[in-house]
Amino acid sequence: MTKTILIDPVTRIEGHSKITIHLDEQGEVADARFHVTQFRGFEKLSQGRPFDEMPALMARICGICPVSHLVASAKTCDALLGVRIPKAGADLRRIINLAQIIQSHALSFFHLSSPDLLLGMDADPAKRHVFGVYEENPQLARDGIRLRRFGQEVIERLGGKRIHPGWIVPGGVAQPLSVENRDQILREIPEALEMILRTLEWYKASFAAFKAEIDTFANFPSLFMALANAEDTLEHYDGSLRFIDADGKLLANEPQIERYGELIGEYVEPDSYLKSAYFKPLGYAQGMYRVGPLARLNMVKRAGTPKADAALAEYRSLLGEGPLLSSFHYHYARLIEILYGIEKTEQLLTQPEILSKHVRAYAKPNAFEGVGMSEAPRGTLLHHYKIDENGLIQWANLVIATGNNNLAMNAGVKQVAQAFVKGDKISDGALNRVEAVIRSYDPCLSCSTHALGQMPLVLELHGADGDTLDVVQRA
Amino acid sequence: MRVLVIGYGNPLRQDDGLGWHVAERLAVRHAHQHDVQVEVCHQLTPELAEPISRADRLLLIDVDIHLEPGALALTPLQPSPSAGQPSTHHVDAGWLLVLAERLFGRRPAEAATLRLGPDGFDHSETLSATGQRLLPAALAQAEVWITR
């Protein structure tokens, strides 16, 4: 008798989703699917809006990573204007983008995933949450809160407010950086470094306990995609669109990002509002790829800053050279990116020209179509707009980081379910692991949902003979 | 005596932004006072625990749907260790006091909430007529609390 297990909602992620697990006649997992259950419609509702409203509008997609959309949208508008923005403006955008990554990674690691990492996947659900972390390891909790606040305060000092800052605009940024704000951020760097280095030490001593999860959390060959620079160091703002395979072989390196459509295809499954992106030259199923911290570290030779270089070298000495394939390692990769983000922020702030008053280029539209790309906390983010002669949006397409990971998330859910969900004895820990593999990707579902057509989302628990069977469900 | 005022809410949802609007005005009035800090935010989050731990007196300002439109009420705030299901999108005010003490070793000796009665949550950056009439009274009440 077949059976369907429903996890609804998936907990400790951003946004709304559910997971269905289908058991065969022998009680083994036959299939598992990740369904995104929320619809936003930003690509549609932006039609008819003046293009220079788009950064502010697109920032409202998300309250966790609005800066990512501001950056990608502003870069798209830069392409419509046909401008080259001043170096100080570009570097200030880089800094706020890194601050976004720092605070978002801190949220993901400390608030969403650390309950599993500290208390264990099988811990009592009544305690396996962020407040359980606060009680079990106050130092880890303090560091998490302070690191997140550090990133948020950098955003506020540059952009004027922590959420939806309107400072990133077409052509650059709205205001130069003041000496006072620069100096205040620099004063906070040493403590931020201390906190992330302490967390890295804790994590290195802890993750070995998760061998079973490392082996089964989306641990399979896939392609990887990220922005790349000529130095082969971490690149979050500009660069080429690069794909590598599971062995690290270069498959594509496209500096003209407006040609992304030759490399990225999108498909809509009928059971989710999340589009599935794939590497077009290999087709829908074979072209599965991953983005985000794991992909970015797989792509580079060095991180690009001293302490992060050392941390990356140690990460590779512990886990192996070449692309890492287990999505469990997203957690470790996130910590290294936080370290890099803090160091890179310091480097950029200590350049004298960061205080330049020349931070914005001005123009009228010089193109009817533009593409902008950046690295968001969760991976590569792309905005693509078409405008008419009045500068009004005619069409928009967003390829969101989490959508880039959709195929891999689904494959990961199935792999974990097959490893840990057995027959008619379904433990809370097993179900938590199914959720935890999704958490390792740190999906932002509010960002990523788009609809093309209907979503016939019908939840049923039934046997081979059509009778309703037990439902295992989380409230 | 260090005073911390936190006004929160969504300024895009009409009267849900009342706490935000009150706090914005307080921030301007007290911009040059070292002993009064005003935070304006969308919601209460764990990141507020540390600044709360440094304050001697804490005032939170937000709407309360259980109040009549246009009403206001000032009530003491007590620590509440078991305040509902935790979420990183929103934490209970009383739980923040507990968190401040547990993680940072201290909480304000006095804490209060200024609750404001909303009259609409439309998609608007403009307060309702009731909300606009309530704003000066809310400011005055907050100032009395801050300066006593």
Side-chain angles (χ1 to χ4, degrees):
Chain A
M1 184 177 293
T2 64
K3 187 169 170 179
T4 299
I5 303 166
L6 170 68
I7 301 173
D8 185 17
V10 179
T11 60
R12 283 187 276 127
I13 60 170
E14 194 292 324
H16 303 280
S17 67
K18 66 175 195 264
I19 294 168
T20 53
I21 302 170
H22 303 273
L23 307 184
D24 63 17
E25 301 276 348
Q26 287 73 46
E28 299 291 329
V29 174
D31 198 8
R33 298 284 301 163
F34 174 64
H35 314 269
V36 174
T37 55
Q38 58 184 118
F39 167 65
R40 307 297 298 292
F42 274 80
E43 288 148 325
K44 192 67 183 172
L45 63 85
S46 63
Q47 289 178 1
R49 303 309 306 170
F51 79 94
D52 54 2
E53 279 187 7
M54 290 298 277
L57 188 59
M58 293 294 111
R60 265 71 187 181
I61 290 174
C62 186
I64 303 291
C65 48
V67 167
S68 306
H69 287 290
L70 279 161
V71 170
S73 183
K75 292 183 75 181
T76 307
C77 294
D78 296 343
L80 293 172
L81 296 176
V83 295
R84 188 180 65 194
I85 73 170
K87 185 177 185 304
D91 283 345
L92 288 170
R93 283 181 177 180
R94 284 180 187 276
I95 293 170
I96 199 170
N97 197 39
L98 289 170
Q100 171 86 93
I101 288 170
I102 290 166
Q103 71 87 16
S104 178
H105 281 358
L107 172 69
S108 171
F109 184 85
F110 292 97
H111 290 183
L112 303 181
S113 293
S114 75
D116 299 321
L117 301 173
L118 174 67
L119 304 172
M121 298 278 174
D122 300 301
D124 180 1
K127 295 197 168 120
R128 196 181 58 224
H129 48 63
V130 64
F131 300 138
V133 174
Y134 297 161
E135 291 179 6
E136 180 70 20
N137 191 331
Q139 181 68 69
L140 185 70
R142 271 193 296 274
D143 286 346
I145 285 175
R146 283 177 167 155
L147 272 170
R148 184 149 194 247
R149 194 172 170 89
F150 168 78
Q152 290 173 335
E153 287 187 347
V154 173
I155 292 170
E156 188 171 19
R157 287 188 181 279
L158 266 60
K161 53 180 184 170
R162 292 176 198 184
I163 301 176
H164 307 149
W167 175 74
I168 304 170
V169 293
V173 298
Q175 305 284 343
L177 179 64
S178 71
V179 172
E180 178 193 34
N181 279 329
R182 179 201 63 182
D183 291 348
Q184 181 58 40
I185 297 170
L186 285 172
R187 275 195 288 274
E188 293 169 9
I189 295 277
E191 188 186 20
L193 285 172
E194 190 182 319
M195 290 188 288
I196 188 57
L197 288 169
R198 184 163 48 228
T199 305
L200 271 162
E201 286 306 306
W202 174 81
Y203 185 78
K204 283 185 299 183
S206 306
F207 79 91
F210 294 94
K211 184 180 184 313
E213 288 77 13
I214 290 169
D215 288 343
T216 57
F217 270 35
N219 188 6
F220 44 67
S222 78
L223 313 184
F224 297 94
M225 180 180 88
L227 287 180
N229 59 34
E231 295 79 29
D232 286 329
T233 58
L234 285 171
E235 177 57 60
H236 296 94
Y237 179 72
D238 241 339
S240 308
L241 183 60
R242 183 175 291 180
F243 284 84
I244 61 171
D245 70 8
D247 297 315
K249 179 183 159 199
L250 182 67
L251 298 179
N253 188 62
E254 179 53 73
Q256 292 176 270
I257 58 165
E258 59 274 13
R259 298 175 64 180
Y260 77 92
E262 298 171 22
L263 298 175
I264 299 174
E266 295 184 277
Y267 184 74
V268 178
E269 294 280 359
D271 59 0
S272 177
Y273 278 123
L274 182 55
K275 294 187 286 186
S276 298
Y278 60 96
F279 183 58
K280 222 182 217 181
L282 291 182
Y284 178 53
Q286 300 293 105
M288 175 178 67
Y289 61 84
R290 284 180 271 185
V291 298
L294 184 73
R296 294 191 284 252
L297 292 195
N298 279 347
M299 201 76 72
V300 298
K301 292 194 173 119
R302 297 185 300 114
T305 57
K307 290 184 172 59
D309 283 347
L312 180 57
E314 188 170 17
Y315 165 92
R316 287 172 173 161
S317 76
L318 288 171
L319 302 177
E321 296 290 335
L324 295 182
L325 304 183
S326 172
S327 289
F328 192 90
H329 297 313
Y330 269 100
H331 298 306
Y332 198 159
R334 249 170 229 119
L335 297 180
I336 294 174
E337 282 207 320
I338 291 174
L339 175 58
Y340 168 81
I342 297 168
E343 287 189 291
K344 189 67 180 177
T345 297
E346 185 177 34
Q347 283 183 354
L348 290 168
L349 287 175
T350 48
Q351 297 174 125
E353 57 268 25
I354 202 67
L355 296 175
S356 169
K357 304 297 182 203
H358 187 209
V359 293
R360 185 175 184 181
Y362 294 88
K364 297 278 187 198
N366 287 292
F368 291 112
E369 189 167 353
V371 176
M373 206 177 276
S374 66
E375 287 288 330
R378 293 152 182 88
T380 318
L381 170 62
L382 182 152
H383 286 217
H384 180 182
Y385 310 151
K386 294 180 186 174
I387 59 173
D388 66 12
E389 61 274 11
N390 298 309
L392 301 180
I393 297 290
Q394 298 300 296
W395 176 91
N397 186 36
L398 310 181
V399 182
I400 307 290
T402 295
N404 287 312
N405 279 334
N406 193 23
L407 287 177
M409 286 195 292
N410 269 284
V413 162
K414 184 175 176 180
Q415 185 184 41
V416 171
Q418 286 175 330
F420 291 98
V421 177
K422 300 293 181 190
D424 56 1
K425 210 159 173 60
I426 301 152
S427 69
D428 172 82
L431 292 181
N432 185 38
R433 285 173 175 80
V434 174
E435 292 184 83
V437 72
I438 294 296
R439 277 186 220 114
S440 67
Y441 289 92
D442 184 26
C444 191
L445 303 178
S446 295
C447 279
S448 61
T449 70
H450 306 273
L452 291 175
Q454 290 185 320
M455 185 174 94
L457 190 60
V458 177
L459 304 176
E460 293 182 349
L461 176 66
H462 53 86
D465 55 5
D467 285 347
T468 301
L469 305 175
D470 283 344
V471 176
V472 181
Q473 187 170 342
R474 291 177 195 264
Chain B
M1 184 75 71
R2 288 164 297 190
V3 173
L4 174 63
V5 179
I6 303 175
Y8 56 104
N10 187 348
L12 298 180
R13 296 301 299 271
Q14 202 176 33
D15 286 2
D16 193 71
L18 265 167
W20 175 287
H21 288 295
V22 174
E24 275 204 317
R25 285 155 177 77
L26 290 172
V28 171
R29 289 185 186 185
H30 296 277
H32 301 295
Q33 278 182 263
H34 298 301
D35 55 350
V36 178
Q37 179 186 348
V38 183
E39 294 258 354
V40 185
C41 49
H42 285 90
Q43 56 205 168
L44 298 181
T45 59
E47 289 76 42
L48 292 168
E50 187 165 17
I52 286 173
S53 73
R54 291 196 292 261
D56 300 303
R57 302 175 66 224
L58 170 68
L59 179 66
L60 300 173
I61 308 173
D62 188 21
V63 295
D64 183 347
I65 57 170
H66 300 105
L67 289 180
E68 287 296 314
L72 61 81
L74 182 68
T75 51
L77 176 66
Q78 302 296 337
S80 51
S82 54
Q85 185 66 31
S87 162
T88 52
H89 283 299
H90 177 75
V91 293
D92 179 81
W95 209 95
L96 266 182
L97 294 181
V98 174
L99 191 64
E101 189 162 31
R102 193 162 292 173
L103 289 189
F104 300 101
R106 192 177 174 278
R107 61 177 167 86
E110 180 189 359
T113 55
L114 178 58
R115 297 176 293 122
L116 310 174
D119 193 20
F121 294 102
D122 284 347
H123 290 94
S124 171
E125 291 184 272
T126 305
L127 296 172
S128 68
T130 306
Q132 289 181 41
R133 285 192 296 273
L134 179 55
L135 191 53
L139 267 168
Q141 179 70 75
E143 287 288 7
V144 166
W145 188 92
I146 289 169
T147 54
R148 68 175 166 79

